[in-house]
Amino acid sequence: MAILQIRQAIRDAMKEEMLRDERVFLMGEEVGHYNGAYKASEGLLEQFGPKRVIDTPIVETGFSGVGIGAAMCGLRPIIEFMTFNFSAVAFDQIMNNAAKIRHMTNGQFGVPIVFRGPNAAAHMLGSTHSQAFEPYYAHIPGLKVIAVATPYDAKGLLKSAIRDDNPVIFLESELMYSVKGEVPDEEYTIPIGKADIKREGKHVTVVTWGQGVPVSLKTAELAAKEGIEVEVIDLRTLRPMDIETVITSVKKTNRAVVLFHDWPYGGVGCEVIAQIQELAFDHLDAPVLRECYEDVPFPYADNLEQLVLPTPEKGLAAVKKVLYRG
Amino acid sequence: MTAAGPTEVSYEDQLKAAFKDQSKDDILRDYLAMLRIRRFEEAAARAYTRGKISGFLHLYIGQEAIAVATQQAIQPQDRVVSAYRTHGFALALGSDPKACAAELFGKAAGLVGGIGGSMHFFDKAHQLWGGYAIIGNHIPVAAGHAFASKYTGDGAVTLVFMGDGAVGIGPVHEGMTLAGIWKLPIVFVVENNQYSMGTPLSRTLPVEDITSRAAGYGFKSDRFHVTSVAETRDRIGAAVKRAREDNQPTLLELITYRFRGHSMSDPAKYRQKEEVETWRMQDPLERTLRALQLLHGFDEAALEQLDGEVIAEVDAAYEFADKAPPPLPEARFANILVGE
């Protein structure tokens, strides 16, 4: 087992898939000569050349559309957004073309494409660069949405995403590219649509994904000091969602908190809660709570930003609240 | 026209000059191809009025020569990408009129199974790659088709069509920028039909000549009034050749006119009768008809016989559509994701 950073796991996944399939190419801003704004494509231009590692001007709508058009011709593009905040200007391409083409053409055309890049808040980037995009994309039939939090998951799921015949949104995090973890030396993939129990426990289920995962694990550590055993479920795929794993856990713990890096209103967290109440209502001993961003645009100032973010301490408070402790 | 004899004579002389180098068979072929689209569109309008077609219906009446010329200018591996005024392209490229009509009626036998409707015609087997109804968002997609051609070396040229109303929107600029940087085998065609829905060009374009933008992308360009299939085919063909042989994109502006409103809900009260009549004299279908009369002696009986045959094919298509079954209920779950 090698110890890799998430950025290296992502690079290795792209490298292996590009070696495996000549139809796979990487396109985006600064992916080639600059080696990626966050170095997730380091060395790929050198290895594969400019035909398959393609720098673009700053035209997210343009290169997203080009990727979709190329995918309709049978290629398998990986489109990198420098941040998903910039995907907002390509939203029409993803919503109206990537997600709709197969349906709208009655199956004449498919769009096997991956849109990947960092998502949600980093540190002190202000309101326009600190947003989580999973609610927008997970809302749309025709897309798959993945959010990763470990090098192992990043590599295994990105490889599956590249091989998938559907459009896949693959969410990373600026703050987590340096997170290290074990990655097998041999070939492996992780199926899309399977959650992972990152920590077992019997008192409270914490459902999380992406940047919420390390916060949830620290929450569980704090809780353990107070004798509370938290089960942390990393959804990993937000659409399709592995609700079965969540429900199995809730039926064991009877209590749940959804902890995530996004606003509370109308998002994936709400979907998790809706499904829990629908499928495990009689098993709940307390209302399901959300711990997430405060419902405000992100401020730049460090002290204000810290107040907006979910923290292990806030997570612990939510865990104790569903236990009616404290 | 209110002008007296001399104008009429000069119109005829001009027509004769324009068509004298074409064979009778070619003129007849072009006439029938255009007439077929026009009769199909007129039948669509009637079916819409009778409530057989819903949603938005944008007719191609007046612009038929462009689709017919395009079919003549391309090779079997090429791709045609259009916006939402697409019926003419489908028919010209060889789509089954029955499948086209059935799509308008929302039937399972439709071009895309009744899922897309008038604005979303796709027929891969006949080189029709859309069918896009969000203005301008097909321009980067078409550039992506051309990118794939360069990537795989498939030798295909992509021709992408848009209306004059599309040229201000962002994706058009971005798609053209990338085609220019990467030297993609693509032809951008603006079908300038004078109106962006109900708004004339003078209020939507900062400069009258849309092709003046070509320089900014490093494209070649060409701009002309569409008055015949032959000339349109040759000038589109020159752009296709540049794309295929030199990876040189071209921006074409084809000046044309739609005789109907923007869609069936538009009575087109924003234009004067005189304006419409002036354009009628330039209508490629009308001109081709007159050429058959003036140069090749087609009389009323012969023309009516031809028209009757075209109308019979169109009527059969609409009758088929009317009787065809709707999609099965489970069809709404098909083709959302694959491999589930």
Tab-separated table of all heavy atoms in Angstrom, chain A residues 22 25 51-52 54 57 59 61-62 65-66 69 72 92-93 97 101-109 142 144 165-166, chain B residues 111-113 115 120 122-124 129 132 137 140-141 144-145 147-148 151 174 178 181-182 334-338 340:
chain	number	residue	atom	x	y	z
A	22	GLU	N	-7.906	5.060	-24.896
A	22	GLU	CA	-7.435	6.224	-25.674
A	22	GLU	C	-8.508	7.284	-25.851
A	22	GLU	O	-8.207	8.410	-26.248
A	22	GLU	CB	-6.963	5.761	-27.058
A	22	GLU	CG	-5.598	5.100	-27.020
A	22	GLU	CD	-4.994	4.963	-28.410
A	22	GLU	OE1	-5.654	5.370	-29.377
A	22	GLU	OE2	-3.875	4.438	-28.494
A	25	PHE	N	-9.726	11.840	-22.287
A	25	PHE	CA	-8.830	12.998	-22.299
A	25	PHE	C	-9.236	13.960	-21.191
A	25	PHE	O	-10.352	13.888	-20.665
A	25	PHE	CB	-8.821	13.695	-23.665
A	25	PHE	CG	-10.124	14.328	-24.079
A	25	PHE	CD1	-10.443	15.629	-23.702
A	25	PHE	CD2	-11.038	13.636	-24.871
A	25	PHE	CE1	-11.639	16.221	-24.091
A	25	PHE	CE2	-12.247	14.224	-25.265
A	25	PHE	CZ	-12.545	15.519	-24.876
A	51	LYS	N	-2.530	16.549	-27.125
A	51	LYS	CA	-3.766	16.040	-27.735
A	51	LYS	C	-4.747	15.585	-26.655
A	51	LYS	O	-5.961	15.697	-26.817
A	51	LYS	CB	-3.455	14.870	-28.668
A	51	LYS	CG	-4.701	14.314	-29.352
A	51	LYS	CD	-4.431	13.048	-30.143
A	51	LYS	CE	-5.763	12.430	-30.594
A	51	LYS	NZ	-5.596	11.135	-31.243
A	52	ARG	N	-4.201	15.080	-25.526
A	52	ARG	CA	-5.079	14.458	-24.532
A	52	ARG	C	-5.108	15.212	-23.201
A	52	ARG	O	-5.886	14.843	-22.311
A	52	ARG	CB	-4.677	12.999	-24.318
A	52	ARG	CG	-4.836	12.183	-25.605
A	52	ARG	CD	-4.494	10.731	-25.417
A	52	ARG	NE	-5.416	10.053	-24.535
A	52	ARG	CZ	-5.165	8.875	-23.968
A	52	ARG	NH1	-4.003	8.267	-24.187
A	52	ARG	NH2	-6.060	8.312	-23.185
A	54	ILE	N	-5.563	19.034	-22.364
A	54	ILE	CA	-5.859	20.200	-23.188
A	54	ILE	C	-6.157	21.422	-22.328
A	54	ILE	O	-7.152	21.474	-21.601
A	54	ILE	CB	-7.057	19.895	-24.112
A	54	ILE	CG1	-6.737	18.668	-24.964
A	54	ILE	CG2	-7.391	21.094	-24.978
A	54	ILE	CD1	-7.855	17.678	-25.070
A	57	PRO	N	-8.865	28.335	-22.745
A	57	PRO	CA	-9.054	29.683	-22.199
A	57	PRO	C	-10.160	29.635	-21.133
A	57	PRO	O	-10.748	28.585	-20.872
A	57	PRO	CB	-9.485	30.498	-23.418
A	57	PRO	CG	-10.050	29.513	-24.379
A	57	PRO	CD	-9.359	28.200	-24.118
A	59	VAL	N	-13.326	29.745	-20.435
A	59	VAL	CA	-14.629	29.652	-21.108
A	59	VAL	C	-15.340	28.389	-20.618
A	59	VAL	O	-15.437	27.398	-21.315
A	59	VAL	CB	-14.477	29.627	-22.656
A	59	VAL	CG1	-14.015	30.976	-23.183
A	59	VAL	CG2	-13.490	28.559	-23.122
A	61	THR	N	-18.467	27.549	-20.127
A	61	THR	CA	-19.562	27.101	-20.989
A	61	THR	C	-19.003	26.458	-22.248
A	61	THR	O	-19.469	25.408	-22.691
A	61	THR	CB	-20.452	28.300	-21.370
A	61	THR	OG1	-21.183	28.693	-20.215
A	61	THR	CG2	-21.426	27.938	-22.468
A	62	GLY	N	-17.984	27.098	-22.802
A	62	GLY	CA	-17.397	26.600	-24.048
A	62	GLY	C	-16.793	25.222	-23.889
A	62	GLY	O	-17.125	24.290	-24.620
A	65	GLY	N	-19.335	22.470	-23.002
A	65	GLY	CA	-20.092	22.082	-24.192
A	65	GLY	C	-19.263	21.258	-25.156
A	65	GLY	O	-19.748	20.281	-25.736
A	66	VAL	N	-18.000	21.627	-25.314
A	66	VAL	CA	-17.111	20.843	-26.182
A	66	VAL	C	-16.976	19.417	-25.640
A	66	VAL	O	-17.026	18.433	-26.382
A	66	VAL	CB	-15.727	21.520	-26.306
A	66	VAL	CG1	-14.686	20.553	-26.853
A	66	VAL	CG2	-15.831	22.743	-27.211
A	69	GLY	N	-20.167	17.581	-26.468
A	69	GLY	CA	-20.212	17.266	-27.902
A	69	GLY	C	-19.251	16.150	-28.265
A	69	GLY	O	-19.560	15.289	-29.106
A	72	MET	N	-20.668	12.826	-27.056
A	72	MET	CA	-21.726	12.333	-27.950
A	72	MET	C	-21.142	11.598	-29.153
A	72	MET	O	-21.812	10.778	-29.776
A	72	MET	CB	-22.598	13.498	-28.431
A	72	MET	CG	-23.479	14.089	-27.344
A	72	MET	SD	-24.275	15.621	-27.884
A	72	MET	CE	-25.479	14.989	-29.079
A	92	ASP	N	-26.000	25.635	-17.606
A	92	ASP	CA	-26.928	25.281	-18.684
A	92	ASP	C	-26.418	24.076	-19.478
A	92	ASP	O	-27.198	23.185	-19.831
A	92	ASP	CB	-27.123	26.484	-19.614
A	92	ASP	CG	-27.885	26.111	-20.868
A	92	ASP	OD1	-29.045	25.705	-20.740
A	92	ASP	OD2	-27.315	26.208	-21.964
A	93	GLN	N	-25.117	24.050	-19.752
A	93	GLN	CA	-24.562	22.907	-20.494
A	93	GLN	C	-24.780	21.603	-19.734
A	93	GLN	O	-25.089	20.564	-20.323
A	93	GLN	CB	-23.060	23.108	-20.749
A	93	GLN	CG	-22.744	24.164	-21.785
A	93	GLN	CD	-23.266	23.800	-23.170
A	93	GLN	OE1	-23.379	22.638	-23.533
A	93	GLN	NE2	-23.599	24.813	-23.957
A	97	ASN	N	-27.849	19.944	-21.458
A	97	ASN	CA	-27.248	19.076	-22.467
A	97	ASN	C	-26.738	17.769	-21.847
A	97	ASN	O	-27.230	16.701	-22.161
A	97	ASN	CB	-26.150	19.809	-23.240
A	97	ASN	CG	-26.749	20.857	-24.181
A	97	ASN	OD1	-27.908	20.747	-24.573
A	97	ASN	ND2	-25.990	21.869	-24.529
A	101	ILE	N	-29.416	14.827	-22.902
A	101	ILE	CA	-29.238	14.349	-24.281
A	101	ILE	C	-29.715	12.911	-24.458
A	101	ILE	O	-30.425	12.596	-25.420
A	101	ILE	CB	-27.754	14.476	-24.704
A	101	ILE	CG1	-27.369	15.944	-24.870
A	101	ILE	CG2	-27.477	13.678	-25.985
A	101	ILE	CD1	-27.894	16.635	-26.074
A	102	ARG	N	-29.360	12.023	-23.553
A	102	ARG	CA	-29.749	10.626	-23.744
A	102	ARG	C	-31.280	10.488	-23.757
A	102	ARG	O	-31.849	9.817	-24.603
A	102	ARG	CB	-29.150	9.730	-22.647
A	102	ARG	CG	-29.473	8.254	-22.850
A	102	ARG	CD	-28.848	7.375	-21.784
A	102	ARG	NE	-27.401	7.328	-21.838
A	102	ARG	CZ	-26.697	6.584	-22.702
A	102	ARG	NH1	-27.312	5.823	-23.587
A	102	ARG	NH2	-25.389	6.595	-22.686
A	103	HIS	N	-31.905	11.169	-22.833
A	103	HIS	CA	-33.360	11.111	-22.725
A	103	HIS	C	-34.031	11.777	-23.927
A	103	HIS	O	-34.906	11.203	-24.579
A	103	HIS	CB	-33.777	11.800	-21.423
A	103	HIS	CG	-35.234	11.816	-21.176
A	103	HIS	ND1	-36.013	12.952	-21.333
A	103	HIS	CD2	-36.084	10.845	-20.782
A	103	HIS	CE1	-37.268	12.670	-21.043
A	103	HIS	NE2	-37.345	11.409	-20.718
A	104	MET	N	-33.570	12.979	-24.232
A	104	MET	CA	-34.201	13.813	-25.254
A	104	MET	C	-34.039	13.224	-26.651
A	104	MET	O	-34.853	13.476	-27.541
A	104	MET	CB	-33.550	15.201	-25.186
A	104	MET	CG	-34.221	16.308	-25.902
A	104	MET	SD	-33.543	17.883	-25.315
A	104	MET	CE	-31.950	17.937	-26.134
A	105	THR	N	-32.972	12.416	-26.840
A	105	THR	CA	-32.748	11.811	-28.159
A	105	THR	C	-33.275	10.389	-28.198
A	105	THR	O	-33.003	9.661	-29.137
A	105	THR	CB	-31.260	11.821	-28.533
A	105	THR	OG1	-30.546	10.938	-27.652
A	105	THR	CG2	-30.675	13.210	-28.426
A	106	ASN	N	-33.999	10.000	-27.161
A	106	ASN	CA	-34.561	8.651	-27.078
A	106	ASN	C	-33.461	7.592	-27.167
A	106	ASN	O	-33.649	6.548	-27.791
A	106	ASN	CB	-35.609	8.452	-28.190
A	106	ASN	CG	-36.617	7.374	-27.844
A	106	ASN	OD1	-36.903	7.124	-26.679
A	106	ASN	ND2	-37.140	6.702	-28.863
A	107	GLY	N	-32.314	7.924	-26.564
A	107	GLY	CA	-31.227	6.947	-26.509
A	107	GLY	C	-30.327	6.911	-27.735
A	107	GLY	O	-29.431	6.073	-27.810
A	108	GLN	N	-30.543	7.826	-28.696
A	108	GLN	CA	-29.663	7.841	-29.877
A	108	GLN	C	-28.241	8.258	-29.515
A	108	GLN	O	-27.277	7.855	-30.160
A	108	GLN	CB	-30.194	8.797	-30.943
A	108	GLN	CG	-31.467	8.347	-31.622
A	108	GLN	CD	-31.892	9.351	-32.695
A	108	GLN	OE1	-31.098	9.786	-33.517
A	108	GLN	NE2	-33.154	9.720	-32.667
A	109	PHE	N	-28.124	9.109	-28.521
A	109	PHE	CA	-26.819	9.613	-28.105
A	109	PHE	C	-26.660	9.464	-26.594
A	109	PHE	O	-27.640	9.563	-25.851
A	109	PHE	CB	-26.669	11.105	-28.449
A	109	PHE	CG	-26.696	11.410	-29.907
A	109	PHE	CD1	-27.887	11.726	-30.546
A	109	PHE	CD2	-25.529	11.369	-30.661
A	109	PHE	CE1	-27.929	11.999	-31.906
A	109	PHE	CE2	-25.547	11.648	-32.016
A	109	PHE	CZ	-26.749	11.963	-32.649
A	142	GLY	N	-30.700	12.242	-14.517
A	142	GLY	CA	-29.784	12.146	-15.655
A	142	GLY	C	-28.335	12.372	-15.281
A	142	GLY	O	-27.448	12.176	-16.106
A	144	LYS	N	-25.155	11.669	-12.261
A	144	LYS	CA	-24.692	11.030	-11.038
A	144	LYS	C	-23.785	12.034	-10.320
A	144	LYS	O	-23.083	12.805	-10.979
A	144	LYS	CB	-23.923	9.751	-11.353
A	144	LYS	CG	-24.788	8.661	-11.978
A	144	LYS	CD	-24.015	7.370	-12.190
A	144	LYS	CE	-24.940	6.287	-12.736
A	144	LYS	NZ	-24.220	4.996	-12.924
A	165	ASP	N	-21.034	5.230	-18.286
A	165	ASP	CA	-21.568	5.731	-19.550
A	165	ASP	C	-22.478	6.943	-19.370
A	165	ASP	O	-23.050	7.435	-20.338
A	165	ASP	CB	-22.342	4.615	-20.270
A	165	ASP	CG	-21.403	3.550	-20.821
A	165	ASP	OD1	-20.247	3.899	-21.154
A	165	ASP	OD2	-21.810	2.380	-20.902
A	166	ASN	N	-22.619	7.414	-18.153
A	166	ASN	CA	-23.487	8.559	-17.861
A	166	ASN	C	-22.651	9.779	-17.463
A	166	ASN	O	-21.503	9.633	-17.057
A	166	ASN	CB	-24.432	8.201	-16.697
A	166	ASN	CG	-25.285	7.000	-17.034
A	166	ASN	OD1	-26.169	7.071	-17.862
A	166	ASN	ND2	-24.981	5.859	-16.403
B	111	LEU	N	-39.620	10.614	-34.266
B	111	LEU	CA	-38.169	10.619	-34.490
B	111	LEU	C	-37.410	10.317	-33.200
B	111	LEU	O	-36.407	9.614	-33.211
B	111	LEU	CB	-37.776	12.000	-35.021
B	111	LEU	CG	-36.677	12.123	-36.055
B	111	LEU	CD1	-36.876	11.188	-37.231
B	111	LEU	CD2	-36.623	13.566	-36.540
B	112	VAL	N	-37.870	10.846	-32.082
B	112	VAL	CA	-37.253	10.550	-30.780
B	112	VAL	C	-38.318	10.013	-29.819
B	112	VAL	O	-38.321	10.304	-28.622
B	112	VAL	CB	-36.506	11.771	-30.181
B	112	VAL	CG1	-35.246	12.059	-30.975
B	112	VAL	CG2	-37.399	13.010	-30.142
B	113	GLY	N	-39.201	9.188	-30.368
B	113	GLY	CA	-40.159	8.445	-29.540
B	113	GLY	C	-41.226	9.287	-28.870
B	113	GLY	O	-41.833	8.856	-27.895
B	115	ILE	N	-40.594	11.935	-27.228
B	115	ILE	CA	-40.004	12.502	-26.015
B	115	ILE	C	-39.588	13.958	-26.238
B	115	ILE	O	-39.582	14.765	-25.313
B	115	ILE	CB	-38.772	11.665	-25.581
B	115	ILE	CG1	-39.170	10.216	-25.273
B	115	ILE	CG2	-38.050	12.301	-24.398
B	115	ILE	CD1	-40.102	10.056	-24.081
B	120	HIS	N	-36.943	19.338	-30.603
B	120	HIS	CA	-35.832	18.432	-30.263
B	120	HIS	C	-35.746	17.271	-31.241
B	120	HIS	O	-35.772	16.120	-30.838
B	120	HIS	CB	-35.998	17.932	-28.830
B	120	HIS	CG	-36.103	19.037	-27.816
B	120	HIS	ND1	-37.244	19.276	-27.081
B	120	HIS	CD2	-35.224	19.976	-27.449
B	120	HIS	CE1	-37.048	20.324	-26.298
B	120	HIS	NE2	-35.831	20.771	-26.494
B	122	PHE	N	-33.821	14.779	-33.392
B	122	PHE	CA	-32.492	14.168	-33.587
B	122	PHE	C	-32.693	12.945	-34.465
B	122	PHE	O	-33.640	12.178	-34.254
B	122	PHE	CB	-31.893	13.702	-32.251
B	122	PHE	CG	-31.350	14.787	-31.363
B	122	PHE	CD1	-32.204	15.577	-30.607
B	122	PHE	CD2	-29.974	15.008	-31.257
B	122	PHE	CE1	-31.712	16.576	-29.773
B	122	PHE	CE2	-29.480	16.003	-30.418
B	122	PHE	CZ	-30.347	16.783	-29.673
B	123	ASP	N	-31.835	12.725	-35.413
B	123	ASP	CA	-31.892	11.526	-36.253
B	123	ASP	C	-30.471	11.176	-36.682
B	123	ASP	O	-30.009	11.563	-37.761
B	123	ASP	CB	-32.804	11.766	-37.470
B	123	ASP	CG	-33.068	10.479	-38.238
B	123	ASP	OD1	-32.478	9.436	-37.901
B	123	ASP	OD2	-33.875	10.531	-39.189
B	124	LYS	N	-29.799	10.444	-35.814
B	124	LYS	CA	-28.380	10.145	-36.027
B	124	LYS	C	-28.164	9.416	-37.351
B	124	LYS	O	-27.185	9.675	-38.057
B	124	LYS	CB	-27.870	9.285	-34.861
B	124	LYS	CG	-26.360	9.140	-34.819
B	124	LYS	CD	-25.956	8.316	-33.597
B	124	LYS	CE	-24.453	8.299	-33.399
B	124	LYS	NZ	-24.086	7.545	-32.192
B	129	TRP	N	-27.926	15.899	-35.873
B	129	TRP	CA	-27.451	15.875	-34.483
B	129	TRP	C	-28.109	16.993	-33.679
B	129	TRP	O	-27.465	17.696	-32.917
B	129	TRP	CB	-25.916	15.983	-34.463
B	129	TRP	CG	-25.221	14.739	-34.962
B	129	TRP	CD1	-25.404	14.110	-36.160
B	129	TRP	CD2	-24.229	13.956	-34.260
B	129	TRP	NE1	-24.601	12.997	-36.237
B	129	TRP	CE2	-23.873	12.881	-35.100
B	129	TRP	CE3	-23.618	14.072	-33.009
B	129	TRP	CZ2	-22.924	11.916	-34.717
B	129	TRP	CZ3	-22.660	13.120	-32.639
B	129	TRP	CH2	-22.328	12.054	-33.494
B	132	TYR	N	-31.783	21.682	-30.818
B	132	TYR	CA	-31.524	22.306	-29.516
B	132	TYR	C	-32.383	23.551	-29.350
B	132	TYR	O	-32.461	24.383	-30.237
B	132	TYR	CB	-30.046	22.692	-29.399
B	132	TYR	CG	-29.134	21.490	-29.279
B	132	TYR	CD1	-28.678	20.828	-30.406
B	132	TYR	CD2	-28.743	21.021	-28.031
B	132	TYR	CE1	-27.851	19.723	-30.301
B	132	TYR	CE2	-27.914	19.919	-27.916
B	132	TYR	CZ	-27.471	19.274	-29.050
B	132	TYR	OH	-26.649	18.179	-28.944
B	137	ASN	N	-26.893	27.250	-27.046
B	137	ASN	CA	-26.126	26.299	-26.232
B	137	ASN	C	-25.647	25.085	-27.021
B	137	ASN	O	-24.899	24.279	-26.513
B	137	ASN	CB	-26.874	25.904	-24.941
B	137	ASN	CG	-27.846	24.742	-25.082
B	137	ASN	OD1	-28.117	24.256	-26.174
B	137	ASN	ND2	-28.349	24.281	-23.958
B	140	PRO	N	-21.216	25.353	-28.550
B	140	PRO	CA	-20.063	24.613	-27.989
B	140	PRO	C	-20.182	23.102	-28.203
B	140	PRO	O	-19.164	22.434	-28.406
B	140	PRO	CB	-20.122	24.953	-26.489
B	140	PRO	CG	-20.904	26.211	-26.387
B	140	PRO	CD	-21.899	26.153	-27.512
B	141	VAL	N	-21.389	22.570	-28.162
B	141	VAL	CA	-21.572	21.124	-28.375
B	141	VAL	C	-21.131	20.749	-29.793
B	141	VAL	O	-20.414	19.761	-29.994
B	141	VAL	CB	-23.041	20.722	-28.128
B	141	VAL	CG1	-23.277	19.261	-28.500
B	141	VAL	CG2	-23.423	20.959	-26.663
B	144	GLY	N	-17.645	20.638	-30.038
B	144	GLY	CA	-17.186	19.374	-29.455
B	144	GLY	C	-17.230	18.225	-30.458
B	144	GLY	O	-16.351	17.362	-30.464
B	145	HIS	N	-18.257	18.219	-31.321
B	145	HIS	CA	-18.294	17.208	-32.386
B	145	HIS	C	-17.071	17.388	-33.305
B	145	HIS	O	-16.422	16.410	-33.689
B	145	HIS	CB	-19.561	17.333	-33.230
B	145	HIS	CG	-20.841	17.192	-32.471
B	145	HIS	ND1	-20.943	16.502	-31.286
B	145	HIS	CD2	-22.096	17.647	-32.751
B	145	HIS	CE1	-22.205	16.556	-30.874
B	145	HIS	NE2	-22.912	17.238	-31.734
B	147	PHE	N	-14.302	18.854	-32.515
B	147	PHE	CA	-13.118	18.485	-31.730
B	147	PHE	C	-12.898	16.972	-31.807
B	147	PHE	O	-11.778	16.494	-32.006
B	147	PHE	CB	-13.311	18.917	-30.273
B	147	PHE	CG	-12.235	18.460	-29.327
B	147	PHE	CD1	-11.107	19.235	-29.111
B	147	PHE	CD2	-12.349	17.243	-28.662
B	147	PHE	CE1	-10.104	18.798	-28.244
B	147	PHE	CE2	-11.358	16.800	-27.805
B	147	PHE	CZ	-10.233	17.573	-27.588
B	148	ALA	N	-13.990	16.207	-31.667
B	148	ALA	CA	-13.885	14.745	-31.730
B	148	ALA	C	-13.403	14.294	-33.103
B	148	ALA	O	-12.628	13.341	-33.217
B	148	ALA	CB	-15.231	14.103	-31.397
B	151	TYR	N	-9.797	14.781	-33.111
B	151	TYR	CA	-9.187	13.839	-32.154
B	151	TYR	C	-9.097	12.450	-32.775
B	151	TYR	O	-8.089	11.761	-32.657
B	151	TYR	CB	-10.034	13.818	-30.888
B	151	TYR	CG	-9.461	13.087	-29.688
B	151	TYR	CD1	-8.788	13.795	-28.679
B	151	TYR	CD2	-9.616	11.715	-29.534
B	151	TYR	CE1	-8.286	13.140	-27.562
B	151	TYR	CE2	-9.110	11.049	-28.419
B	151	TYR	CZ	-8.444	11.769	-27.429
B	151	TYR	OH	-7.953	11.109	-26.325
B	174	GLU	N	-18.148	31.654	-26.997
B	174	GLU	CA	-17.185	30.703	-26.428
B	174	GLU	C	-16.917	29.541	-27.389
B	174	GLU	O	-15.775	29.111	-27.561
B	174	GLU	CB	-17.688	30.194	-25.069
B	174	GLU	CG	-17.759	31.308	-24.032
B	174	GLU	CD	-17.953	30.809	-22.605
B	174	GLU	OE1	-17.729	29.612	-22.330
B	174	GLU	OE2	-18.325	31.636	-21.752
B	178	LEU	N	-13.203	28.694	-29.176
B	178	LEU	CA	-12.474	27.425	-29.111
B	178	LEU	C	-12.253	26.845	-30.508
B	178	LEU	O	-11.180	26.309	-30.804
B	178	LEU	CB	-13.232	26.430	-28.217
B	178	LEU	CG	-13.256	26.819	-26.729
B	178	LEU	CD1	-14.141	25.868	-25.925
B	178	LEU	CD2	-11.843	26.858	-26.140
B	181	ILE	N	-9.302	28.761	-31.905
B	181	ILE	CA	-8.010	28.414	-31.290
B	181	ILE	C	-7.529	27.048	-31.774
B	181	ILE	O	-6.360	26.859	-32.100
B	181	ILE	CB	-8.137	28.378	-29.756
B	181	ILE	CG1	-8.412	29.767	-29.192
B	181	ILE	CG2	-6.853	27.828	-29.122
B	181	ILE	CD1	-8.782	29.744	-27.712
B	182	TRP	N	-8.464	26.110	-31.813
B	182	TRP	CA	-8.084	24.708	-32.090
B	182	TRP	C	-8.210	24.329	-33.567
B	182	TRP	O	-7.973	23.187	-33.923
B	182	TRP	CB	-8.940	23.764	-31.219
B	182	TRP	CG	-8.642	23.892	-29.761
B	182	TRP	CD1	-7.470	24.314	-29.185
B	182	TRP	CD2	-9.534	23.610	-28.661
B	182	TRP	NE1	-7.578	24.312	-27.809
B	182	TRP	CE2	-8.825	23.878	-27.461
B	182	TRP	CE3	-10.840	23.157	-28.582
B	182	TRP	CZ2	-9.391	23.704	-26.188
B	182	TRP	CZ3	-11.407	22.978	-27.322
B	182	TRP	CH2	-10.692	23.253	-26.144
B	334	ALA	N	-37.331	5.641	-19.552
B	334	ALA	CA	-36.250	5.132	-20.405
B	334	ALA	C	-35.199	6.203	-20.671
B	334	ALA	O	-35.511	7.397	-20.727
B	334	ALA	CB	-36.838	4.639	-21.725
B	335	ASN	N	-33.965	5.771	-20.829
B	335	ASN	CA	-32.880	6.639	-21.322
B	335	ASN	C	-32.553	7.818	-20.413
B	335	ASN	O	-32.050	8.832	-20.879
B	335	ASN	CB	-33.218	7.169	-22.725
B	335	ASN	CG	-33.399	6.047	-23.728
B	335	ASN	OD1	-32.516	5.206	-23.866
B	335	ASN	ND2	-34.526	6.023	-24.391
B	336	ILE	N	-32.837	7.698	-19.133
B	336	ILE	CA	-32.408	8.767	-18.221
B	336	ILE	C	-30.963	8.487	-17.814
B	336	ILE	O	-30.085	9.336	-17.956
B	336	ILE	CB	-33.338	8.860	-17.002
B	336	ILE	CG1	-34.760	9.204	-17.473
B	336	ILE	CG2	-32.831	9.932	-16.027
B	336	ILE	CD1	-35.815	9.087	-16.400
B	337	LEU	N	-30.735	7.273	-17.319
B	337	LEU	CA	-29.373	6.796	-17.112
B	337	LEU	C	-29.260	5.467	-17.821
B	337	LEU	O	-30.243	4.744	-17.970
B	337	LEU	CB	-29.067	6.602	-15.618
B	337	LEU	CG	-29.002	7.861	-14.754
B	337	LEU	CD1	-28.873	7.474	-13.286
B	337	LEU	CD2	-27.839	8.762	-15.165
B	338	VAL	N	-28.072	5.092	-18.235
B	338	VAL	CA	-27.855	3.796	-18.865
B	338	VAL	C	-27.093	2.904	-17.891
B	338	VAL	O	-26.343	3.388	-17.044
B	338	VAL	CB	-27.094	3.948	-20.200
B	338	VAL	CG1	-25.665	4.379	-19.974
B	338	VAL	CG2	-27.157	2.662	-21.020
B	340	GLU	N	-28.331	0.980	-15.512
B	340	GLU	CA	-28.882	0.875	-14.145
B	340	GLU	C	-29.549	-0.463	-13.940
B	340	GLU	O	-30.182	-0.981	-14.837
B	340	GLU	CB	-29.899	2.006	-13.910
B	340	GLU	CG	-29.241	3.372	-13.885
B	340	GLU	CD	-28.163	3.491	-12.828
B	340	GLU	OE1	-28.486	3.508	-11.640
B	340	GLU	OE2	-26.974	3.551	-13.194
